[in-house]
Structure formats: C-alpha cells, structure tokens
Amino acid sequence: MPDILSTIIRSILLILGLFIITKLLGKKQLSSLSFFEYIVGITVGDIAGTLAMDPDLSLRDGIASLIVWSFVPLAISTISLRSRAFRKIVEGKSTTFIENGNILEKNMRKEKYSIDELLEQLRKKSVFKVADVEFASLDSNGELSVLMKKAKQPLKYEDIGIKVGAESTSVSLMMDGQFIEENLRQAGLDKVELISKIQAKGYQPNQVFYAEMDSRGLLSLDLYDEFISCQFPDFDHI
C-alpha cells in the first residue's frame, strides 16, 4: 500500500476514534476542564498525530494506548460524580483571593498569582477597581469568579419591588429556509399559520432564512438578502 494512502486511512480511522472518545468524555468546555483532563487531551492528541504520520508505529498498540488514556479520565469523572472527597482530591477546590473587599495575599502566593494577574483577570470581568469587589475566588478550572459589592451591582427589578413574568428562550421556527416542525408545535403554531403571518408582511417563506418567536409571541424574521424584524402583537403568548 502506498505511504500516502496508508497515512490517509490511518488518519481517518484516528479521527473517527477521537470523535468517539470525545463523545464519551462529554461536553465540557475547554475552560471547564480540570488540569488532569487538560493533560490527557494533549497526550491523546499527540498520540493520534504521531500514529497518523509514522507508518512504522503499530496502529494496534497506538489504539490500545488511546483507549487507556481515554478510559482513565472517564473512570475518574464517574467516580468524581459519586464522591465529593475524591472530586476535591482530583479537581481541587477554589481559592479565595478577595474576601469582604480585602485581598488575601497569602492565598495569592499559594497559587503563585501576582497582583498584576489578579488585576488583569478583574479587567476581563469589566471590573477596574478592586475596592468595588466584595468577593473573588480562583476556581479549579482557572477561572476567576467575582462578586461585586451590593452598591456596585446592576439594578434588578426585585430591588425596586417590580414583579415580572417568567421569560423563556426564543423558539426557532425556521432555519436555512426550512420549517422546524417540532418547534412549531412547541410554539402552538402550524406551518399554514406561520406562512400566513409571513405573507401578511409582504414576504414569501422562500425569502426567509431564519425565523424565531419569543415568549411574548413576537416573531423575528431574517431574510436571505437583508435583515428585518417583524413583530406581531396579535400572537398569543407562549
């Protein structure tokens, strides 16, 4: 078998294998990975890349190595879900950097975190004054969680005694010009009703690229050639 063909076949097999491994490990975002999971991801990727490019390596042994490296974090995740003590050992726990508005230098030194790094992370959270922070902690995934002082938090409806109704996410009714039957039923509509609403505004369904409706019954249309927002107050709320 020509080397180039062998490389292509090995690469395709490894890509499929990595896809299966990724599905098994779950949908954690990169920022949510633990340190161990991050190391495993790098190692698995390196093994796969080496196997794809080096025909002298045994594909069978490489796949066995991938399975082992993938099984370990899967087993650790399963045990972590059942044991809080084990989870604290593997994933660690958050470290408090600011408490009651006071910077805890000892904890920062423990995590090898400088004041410059802390200020940079605060700026990423749109916080430009340490004095405005009530509490901040470094989570096990490396993210900084920040709680502003009450006077610096955004005003909420409940702060001024206004009660508001529940708000749900918008429902996508059309995507890529195609009707989504399941979502139409969820919104209490059928295809004919939606088409009539679109036509009432002077458009045809084949002109609509995307359509969605929010919890108040307001419909928004995105046309193939331009964007237009159409609202229909006569829609029943969902």
Side-chain angles (χ1 to χ4, degrees):
M1 181 181 298
D3 290 343
I4 183 65
L5 183 59
S6 175
T7 300
I8 291 174
I9 293 176
R10 291 164 72 98
S11 298
I12 292 174
L13 291 175
L14 288 167
I15 290 172
L16 292 175
L18 288 176
F19 176 76
I20 295 172
I21 290 171
T22 304
K23 297 294 285 185
L24 289 175
L25 292 179
K27 297 181 179 180
K28 273 191 177 181
Q29 298 179 358
L30 183 60
S31 60
S32 301
L33 296 178
S34 67
F35 178 76
F36 180 74
E37 290 168 335
Y38 178 70
I39 295 299
V40 168
I42 293 176
T43 305
V44 168
D46 184 60
I47 293 173
T50 303
L51 286 173
M53 297 303 298
D54 192 344
D56 295 330
L57 295 177
S58 170
L59 187 60
R60 182 187 61 185
D61 294 344
I63 291 176
S65 178
L66 283 176
I67 292 174
V68 171
W69 274 93
S70 303
F71 173 78
V72 171
L74 186 61
I76 289 177
S77 296
T78 303
I79 298 173
S80 296
L81 291 174
R82 301 175 182 273
S83 172
R84 183 172 181 270
F86 182 80
R87 185 165 61 248
K88 289 176 64 176
I89 294 173
V90 175
E91 299 183 2
K93 58 181 181 179
S94 61
T95 302
T96 302
F97 281 174
I98 300 177
E99 188 173 31
N100 298 324
N102 179 50
I103 298 176
L104 305 180
E105 296 88 353
K106 181 179 179 181
N107 288 356
M108 290 182 60
R109 286 194 295 268
K110 175 184 175 182
E111 296 291 346
K112 299 178 177 60
Y113 223 83
S114 69
I115 184 64
D116 289 328
E117 290 173 315
L118 176 61
L119 294 176
E120 179 183 352
Q121 292 302 315
L122 288 175
R123 288 194 295 271
K124 289 181 178 179
K125 302 285 185 180
S126 299
V127 179
F128 296 90
K129 289 180 63 177
V130 177
D132 294 341
V133 179
E134 178 69 23
F135 179 86
S137 66
L138 184 69
D139 297 332
S140 58
N141 61 3
E143 284 287 318
L144 187 70
S145 296
V146 179
L147 174 66
M148 303 296 290
K149 291 183 177 178
K150 187 66 176 178
K152 299 297 181 179
Q153 294 179 15
L155 186 66
K156 306 183 184 70
Y157 282 109
E158 62 186 54
D159 294 331
I160 53 178
I162 297 178
K163 295 183 178 181
V164 294
E167 183 76 15
S168 61
T169 58
S170 297
V171 179
S172 300
L173 304 178
M174 292 181 68
M175 283 186 180
D176 298 319
Q178 302 295 318
F179 294 97
I180 306 176
E181 300 287 350
E182 179 182 351
N183 290 359
L184 283 170
R185 289 193 296 269
Q186 180 183 340
L189 295 172
D190 58 32
K191 190 183 299 185
V192 174
E193 289 176 304
L194 180 57
I195 291 175
S196 67
K197 294 298 182 181
I198 295 173
Q199 291 175 337
K201 299 302 293 185
Y203 300 104
Q204 296 299 322
N206 58 8
Q207 295 177 287
V208 179
F209 174 71
Y210 177 76
E212 68 177 10
M213 189 171 67
D214 64 19
S215 60
R216 294 173 297 171
L218 303 180
L219 182 71
S220 296
L221 300 179
D222 185 282
L223 305 181
Y224 273 105
D225 55 349
E226 63 180 335
F227 174 81
I228 183 170
S229 180
C230 306
Q231 296 183 334
F232 302 95
D234 57 318
F235 262 35
D236 293 332
H237 289 3
I238 59 174

